[in-house]
Amino acid sequence: LGNTIPHRSLDNFSDKIRWSLDLRWQKYDEPNGLDDFKPSLLIRDGSTESFKPDWESWNKINRITIVEDDKSREEWTEQFE
């Protein structure tokens, strides 16, 4: 999967809010479509029942800033290896 897969929604002619989610699942150790600007986040570890994802560290990664600063990208991705 990549971040260029075409998708769209039709106009909402109702008087209600329509929420749309685009969820994609892939293997943790395979490319995630973000061109290495933000590593995949391991959501579940089948060998550890009490495993919890590290959302805080992952959310701190600003892929826009990382694109502009390659050194920063190396520092962030090292902590997830």
Side-chain angles (χ1 to χ4, degrees):
L1 289 178
N3 59 359
T4 58
I5 293 175
H7 58 286
R8 71 178 195 138
S9 64
L10 301 175
D11 292 337
N12 181 9
F13 295 108
S14 74
D15 60 353
K16 298 185 170 88
I17 295 174
R18 180 180 64 200
W19 294 93
S20 176
L21 299 173
D22 185 7
L23 302 175
R24 299 177 190 191
W25 301 91
Q26 66 274 337
K27 292 183 179 181
Y28 171 75
D29 56 352
E30 291 183 2
N32 64 15
L34 295 175
D35 302 322
D36 297 326
F37 300 132
K38 191 164 186 173
S40 295
L41 175 67
L42 185 61
I43 300 295
R44 194 184 123 203
D45 183 347
S47 63
T48 308
E49 220 174 285
S50 61
F51 177 83
K52 294 191 187 281
D54 185 1
W55 287 105
E56 186 175 343
S57 294
W58 191 81
N59 282 330
K60 287 180 183 177
I61 301 171
N62 181 336
R63 63 184 175 159
I64 304 303
T65 305
I66 292 172
V67 170
E68 297 168 355
D69 181 5
D70 282 337
K71 183 179 179 191
S72 177
R73 179 185 343 167
E74 288 175 19
E75 291 170 2
W76 275 110
T77 55
E78 282 175 4
Q79 75 179 4
F80 289 96
E81 293 176 350

